[in-house]
Amino acid sequence: MRKIKVIHVITKLELGGAQVNTLYTVKNLNRDRFEVSLLAGPGGILDDNAREISDLKLYFIPELARAVNPLKDLITIFKLARLFRIEKPDIVHTHSSKAGILGRWACFLFKFFHSISSRSSPPAPKIIHTFHGFGFNRYQKMPVRFLFVLAEKMAATISDMLIFVSESNLSEAKSRKIGNPAKYFLIRSGIDIGFFKNTQVDKISKKKEIKINSEDFVITTIGPFKKQKNLSDFLIIANLLKYRGLKSKFLIVGDGEEREKLNVIREALELTDEVRFMGWLKEKKEVAEILKITDVFVMTSLWEGLPRSILESMAAGVPVCANAVDGVKDVVKDGDTGLLAEPFDTKRMAENILRILKEEGLGKRITVNALKMLDESFDIGKMVIRQENLYANLTKNSRGF
């Protein structure tokens, strides 16, 4: 019985939830059952991590990028189709909006030519797409959003399975009639719950290492510096809390295209001492140690799939304050497993942070409830097993086992 050949396609290996979980999947798929390849656009911070994975065929496609470029996008489709013809996969599994659209149509193109090819060829591949959030959102202009939704609807018609990381995203896809609900499947974006729960750190020493006074509160957020994460609100919240007299440091773990803009805001608000740009922390241990000295984790995102950073904070025992958007609402239940505010309501978010820091027993109750909620469906190991079972079931009839 030959191995099932699986190809994963993703736009770029940035340091984000979709990328980290895709790399974990291609690394940990059972090599006794699966032969694994990964196709991506170049220039991501995790490119070297992908190169280090053993028994992984890795391809970088220079034209594959997030920005819309008709010529490069067309070239990408034909390059992907050519690679599919060479590799002859059983499963093509796409991730992220751009690679999801181009990768699925490239596979459809390959399948079309396969249908008129020799009968001795392997069966045409099954097409799977995982929505780690959507490429459309309510902050886009209506014509732009319409086109993105239309593109997803069209790509869904050629998909054999649509995976969602959150119930919120699944419900939205259903309401917008993206694909056939019979093809929907929920596989949450998993984390290593035990690792973040059990990591130990000397808080005083760690604070001293990064030059934070032992008595200061630590407020942390994690994410790329881009519009989606709305980090300017995090700076406004820091400013509100500073003038409420809160002795605290605000840590932003990440980097990206809006760094200069955010630095200008930080300086204008005179927060250069209070707010630290920590840069990317590529090692899981580094992230866990920062979370272990964090008093409140904050997420100011405008849209999300299922944010790993919130799950990791919950596992680490850190109370969460977040905007009430998309997959965040799957896990952060206001007053139970965290505190919620509407996007751009910085005053409410600041008040929520103060409540956790000042209201006796609230933070502890929230963290206990959040940890109880993190059942095995959020475990990254179970995530891979569920994907393996899905691959096997999809190929069972076409391959006769």
Side-chain angles (χ1 to χ4, degrees):
M1 184 172 63
R2 72 175 178 86
K3 296 178 182 179
I4 298 172
K5 298 186 72 170
V6 183
I7 293 181
H8 285 258
V9 187
I10 194 164
T11 307
K12 190 175 180 179
L13 292 172
E14 303 171 304
L15 195 56
Q19 294 77 15
V20 170
N21 279 27
T22 299
L23 282 183
Y24 187 91
T25 297
V26 299
K27 180 179 180 179
N28 290 280
L29 284 170
N30 186 341
R31 293 305 194 266
D32 292 332
R33 299 174 64 197
F34 301 96
E35 182 180 324
V36 190
S37 301
L38 175 64
L39 313 180
I45 194 171
L46 296 176
D47 286 1
D48 287 340
N49 297 63
R51 293 186 181 99
E52 292 169 1
I53 298 174
S54 60
D55 297 322
L56 175 69
K57 289 185 178 180
L58 179 63
Y59 300 92
F60 288 107
I61 299 174
E63 294 80 10
L64 179 54
R66 184 181 297 108
V68 175
N69 183 309
L71 177 58
K72 288 185 176 181
D73 294 345
L74 189 60
I75 293 171
T76 297
I77 288 175
F78 280 100
K79 283 191 172 184
L80 287 170
R82 179 176 177 273
L83 284 168
F84 296 152
R85 181 176 63 83
I86 293 169
E87 292 294 335
K88 296 180 175 61
D90 300 293
I91 299 284
V92 171
H93 190 163
T94 62
H95 307 264
S96 64
S97 299
K98 185 67 172 293
I101 300 296
L102 301 185
R104 281 180 282 174
W105 283 112
C107 191
F108 177 80
L109 183 65
F110 163 65
K111 290 174 75 170
F112 172 75
F113 286 111
H114 166 80
S115 68
I116 57 176
S117 67
S118 169
R119 292 183 179 180
S120 61
S121 300
K126 301 295 184 180
I127 301 175
I128 301 173
H129 177 66
T130 294
F131 290 100
H132 302 268
F134 295 115
F136 55 85
N137 61 79
R138 58 178 164 166
Y139 302 100
Q140 293 167 327
K141 292 180 180 179
M142 187 67 72
V144 174
R145 192 191 323 168
F146 173 81
L147 288 174
F148 273 103
V149 173
L150 180 62
E152 289 294 358
K153 285 183 175 182
M154 293 175 64
T157 64
I158 59 171
S159 304
D160 295 288
M161 187 65 67
L162 299 173
I163 297 176
F164 298 86
V165 299
S166 69
E167 294 174 357
S168 175
N169 282 170
L170 188 153
S171 297
E172 181 163 5
K174 189 174 183 179
S175 69
R176 292 184 179 274
K177 296 179 170 42
I178 296 175
N180 181 354
K183 297 180 179 180
Y184 289 4
F185 202 64
L186 179 68
I187 302 181
R188 298 189 187 279
S189 183
I191 63 163
D192 189 340
I193 298 172
F195 182 87
F196 285 92
K197 179 181 178 181
N198 299 320
T199 293
Q200 301 295 318
V201 64
D202 184 317
K203 292 185 178 182
I204 294 175
S205 297
K206 186 64 181 180
K207 281 186 171 183
K208 185 177 180 180
E209 176 189 326
I210 58 177
K211 299 179 173 56
I212 295 178
N213 294 329
S214 60
E215 67 274 12
D216 285 352
F217 292 114
V218 177
I219 318 297
T220 300
T221 192
I222 299 174
F225 294 7
K226 60 184 182 181
K227 181 180 179 180
Q228 174 195 357
K229 300 300 181 179
N230 187 34
L231 291 171
S232 55
D233 270 12
F234 185 78
L235 298 177
I236 293 170
I237 293 162
N239 190 52
L240 290 172
L241 293 173
K242 175 184 176 180
Y243 284 97
R244 292 288 295 268
L246 189 71
K247 294 188 64 176
S248 53
K249 290 292 184 289
F250 298 82
L251 309 183
I252 307 181
V253 177
D255 210 330
E257 59 196 38
E258 290 195 338
R259 184 182 181 90
E260 184 176 348
K261 169 191 168 183
L262 293 171
N263 194 48
V264 168
I265 296 172
R266 180 176 65 166
E267 291 180 354
L269 294 175
E270 299 181 348
L271 292 170
T272 51
D273 183 54
E274 288 80 10
V275 176
R276 306 276 181 84
F277 293 168
M278 304 297 291
W280 291 116
L281 301 180
K282 293 177 65 175
E283 298 299 324
K284 186 167 59 173
K285 186 173 185 295
E286 294 178 296
V287 176
E289 288 180 348
I290 290 295
L291 289 177
K292 286 295 185 177
I293 65 165
T294 295
D295 295 287
V296 182
F297 180 83
V298 174
M299 176 162 280
T300 54
S301 294
L302 301 178
W303 64 90
E304 284 288 347
L306 182 66
R308 286 172 53 93
S309 55
I310 282 183
L311 301 180
E312 290 168 352
S313 298
M314 289 175 165
V318 182
V320 172
C321 292
N323 281 346
V325 297
D326 307 320
V328 171
K329 294 184 291 185
D330 277 20
V331 292
V332 182
K333 306 299 182 183
D334 194 34
D336 182 28
T337 58
L339 297 180
L340 293 172
E342 290 302 313
F344 304 117
D345 191 348
T346 53
K347 183 178 178 182
R348 172 66 180 272
M349 187 74 84
E351 291 295 334
N352 284 345
I353 294 169
L354 284 173
R355 279 188 62 195
I356 287 176
L357 295 177
K358 304 296 186 180
E359 193 173 315
E360 186 176 356
L362 177 61
K364 180 65 175 177
R365 177 169 59 82
I366 283 174
T367 55
V368 169
N369 291 342
L371 192 56
K372 286 180 181 177
M373 182 207 64
L374 292 180
D375 59 27
E376 67 174 21
S377 70
F378 295 95
D379 180 80
I380 198 164
K382 298 293 184 182
M383 177 193 78
V384 174
I385 291 172
R386 295 194 72 196
Q387 289 181 92
E388 289 180 341
N389 292 338
L390 179 61
Y391 298 159
N393 288 334
L394 279 176
T395 58
K396 185 175 182 178
N397 292 333
S398 62
R399 296 184 57 187
F401 59 80

